[in-house]
Amino acid sequence: MRNRDIGTGYAEGLARREERGIALAPILLVAGGVAIAARYLGLARGEMDLYVAGGIGVAAFVVLSPWLRKAVVVR
């Protein structure tokens, strides 16, 4: 086995991990957008339950999104 073969395998593994992380990004963005939309809909319609649920969703998105991305990317 040559040294450059080892480096190539490492680079391929790194690229696969990055692909999984990139694939999760649109899902996280949509989930955050839904939470923001729910918050504004609740505010506009005067529904406090929807407003609070949207606020909790936004807070969860902000706090958990870095850990969610790391959970999908296998080390």
Side-chain angles (χ1 to χ4, degrees):
M1 187 176 267
R2 296 178 299 212
N3 285 338
R4 63 181 167 200
D5 292 339
I6 294 170
T8 303
Y10 177 76
E12 289 173 356
L14 185 62
R16 275 190 228 108
R17 288 195 308 249
E18 287 299 318
E19 286 174 5
R20 285 191 212 127
I22 292 169
L24 180 66
I27 295 170
L28 292 175
L29 284 174
V30 169
V34 167
I36 292 169
R39 185 172 169 100
Y40 279 109
L41 277 174
L43 183 63
R45 297 186 68 190
E47 296 179 13
M48 202 56 163
D49 293 340
L50 187 59
Y51 180 75
V52 170
I56 292 171
V58 169
F61 172 75
V62 168
V63 171
L64 297 177
S65 61
W67 287 296
L68 288 173
R69 188 176 188 283
K70 286 181 183 179
V72 172
V73 179
V74 180
R75 293 182 186 234

